[in-house]
Amino acid sequence: INPSAAKPRTISLIAKPGCPFCAKAKALLVERGMDYEEIVLGRDASLRSLRAISGKETVPQVFIDGECIGGSEDLEVYLAGAEREAA
């Protein structure tokens, strides 16, 4: 066991089938090798649950380590900031 290894991040994405913004968010995570759990609106959760969890009614909603990042554009900004910090 490597004591200096970084702990994997816990990522959840609430998405809706056929949503292009959801596809963009998933692609951003996959490009960076970030494993995520997808919660499908209408199958795994309802709009009421989405509102209760995120306070929003739009998808996708991305959560990283319990923090609501927001939609695909918010995720893009978040990841760009993380890349700058790592550099």
Side-chain angles (χ1 to χ4, degrees):
I1 297 177
N2 181 355
S4 61
K7 180 182 172 189
R9 303 188 105 186
T10 303
I11 304 171
S12 295
L13 176 131
I14 302 175
K16 187 168 112 178
C19 167
F21 298 103
C22 299
K24 179 181 176 183
K26 290 187 240 182
L28 287 167
L29 293 170
V30 169
E31 285 170 10
R32 286 160 180 83
M34 300 174 86
D35 189 33
Y36 64 91
E37 175 185 53
E38 181 176 3
I39 301 163
V40 179
L41 198 61
R43 182 185 75 199
D44 304 319
S46 66
L47 186 58
R48 178 181 292 179
S49 295
L50 176 63
R51 266 193 315 266
I53 293 166
S54 69
K56 299 181 179 156
E57 294 186 1
T58 58
V59 289
Q61 289 300 314
V62 180
F63 299 84
I64 299 179
D65 293 333
E67 176 186 352
C68 182
I69 304 304
S72 59
E73 292 177 0
D74 300 314
L75 177 61
E76 206 166 16
V77 170
Y78 176 88
L79 294 173
E83 288 173 356
R84 278 194 298 274
E85 286 178 16

